[in-house]
Amino acid sequence: MSGGQKLAVLRDVSFTIQEGEFVAIVGPSGSGKTTLLGLLAGLDTPTHGSVLLDESDLTRLSENDRARLRGEKVGFVFQTFQLIPTLTALENVQVPLELRGTAGAVERARDLINRVGLSDRGHHFPTQLSGGEQQRVAIARAFANSPKILFADEPTGNLDHVTGERIFDLLHHLNADEGSTIVLVTHDSNLAARASRVIRLLDGAVVEDTGSSAATNGVTTPHATRVTGS
């Protein structure tokens, strides 16, 4: 509801993403990209329809079960970073590793901090970091558990060209070498052009899908997803 009226954010969205794909979701501001990404990751649920993630229907799971599934299989880079303010950059990256009881959590977190170019900033708190540095910490955290599928909302939005290229290289490594599926929202036409598939939204509907002929046995299958809300 918005101003006492129902607002249709997404309408009749239906597609399948194959395991191992690198997908860019593009479209103008207000077209529903971020809402769609939140639905795919189970951060929100559609008013109608279903969202299947690795054969699990997110719309039928409790909030706790969706959180558990994300912890096991999903990495998410928020546009607003969502870093824990009382933890250092290094500790923020360690959080998902510690929650899973991963051996060598500190070493893994330190390696990722180095790979995003923040080796000398690991002991700084989020308020001591620039927006671009916070974004890189958020990306490192999302990579921590080598997720089966990574969702990213504007992962290069606050970064300069050189750092953006470094982040793309990390995304490509996760996709090509570790087999993770990548789904990202971006306004960066250069980044979108390097994805293996582009899904374009306009006014809450898919108007172009360069992989629409893909088979149906995918990791993420949002089928007939409709959203009438924010």
Side-chain angles (χ1 to χ4, degrees):
M1 300 297 293
S2 177
Q5 297 182 336
K6 286 185 178 180
L7 176 65
V9 181
L10 297 170
R11 300 188 308 276
D12 299 316
V13 173
S14 181
F15 59 81
T16 297
I17 294 176
Q18 301 291 341
E19 183 171 4
E21 279 196 284
F22 193 133
V23 181
I25 299 174
V26 302
S29 297
S31 59
K33 302 185 299 299
T34 294
T35 298
L36 177 58
L37 204 66
L39 289 170
L40 299 183
L43 298 172
D44 200 356
T45 54
T47 308
H48 305 286
S50 59
V51 181
L52 276 67
L53 177 66
D54 201 19
E55 300 183 355
S56 296
D57 187 345
L58 299 180
T59 62
R60 295 179 179 273
L61 299 180
S62 67
E63 185 174 345
N64 285 340
D65 287 338
R66 290 199 306 272
R68 188 174 300 110
L69 183 65
R70 285 195 299 271
E72 293 172 354
K73 300 180 180 181
V74 172
F76 200 101
V77 181
F78 295 90
Q79 192 171 14
T80 52
F81 317 135
Q82 300 291 347
L83 300 178
I84 301 171
T86 55
L87 299 182
T88 66
L90 185 64
E91 290 168 342
N92 265 280
V93 178
Q94 282 178 234
V95 167
L97 296 165
E98 298 287 359
L99 289 175
R100 292 184 63 175
T102 303
V106 176
E107 292 75 14
R108 169 70 172 167
R110 187 174 291 116
D111 175 63
L112 286 167
I113 284 290
N114 291 342
R115 291 172 66 182
V116 296
L118 294 174
S119 58
D120 59 341
R121 306 287 277 169
H123 296 293
H124 288 71
F125 292 93
T127 55
Q128 298 171 315
L129 302 173
S130 69
E133 288 171 334
Q134 290 182 56
Q135 186 167 32
R136 283 185 272 170
V137 174
I139 291 168
R141 182 182 60 186
F143 276 64
N145 283 332
S146 298
K148 189 166 187 177
I149 182 166
L150 176 71
F151 298 104
D153 195 355
E154 296 286 0
T156 61
N158 293 299
L159 306 178
D160 59 66
H161 176 73
V162 172
T163 307
E165 286 294 310
R166 177 181 289 165
I167 296 306
F168 176 82
D169 288 342
L170 281 173
L171 292 169
H172 183 268
H173 168 74
L174 191 64
N175 176 246
D177 299 334
E178 299 190 32
S180 296
T181 305
I182 308 292
V183 183
L184 58 87
V185 162
T186 184
H187 282 101
D188 186 336
S189 58
N190 291 325
L191 180 58
R194 297 165 75 175
S196 60
R197 177 180 177 187
V198 176
I199 295 173
R200 189 175 305 277
L201 293 182
L202 182 64
D203 296 331
V206 175
V207 294
E208 180 184 8
D209 182 353
T210 62
S212 59
S213 61
T216 58
N217 294 322
V219 171
T220 307
T221 309
H223 175 66
T225 301
R226 278 193 289 264
V227 179
T228 52
S230 58

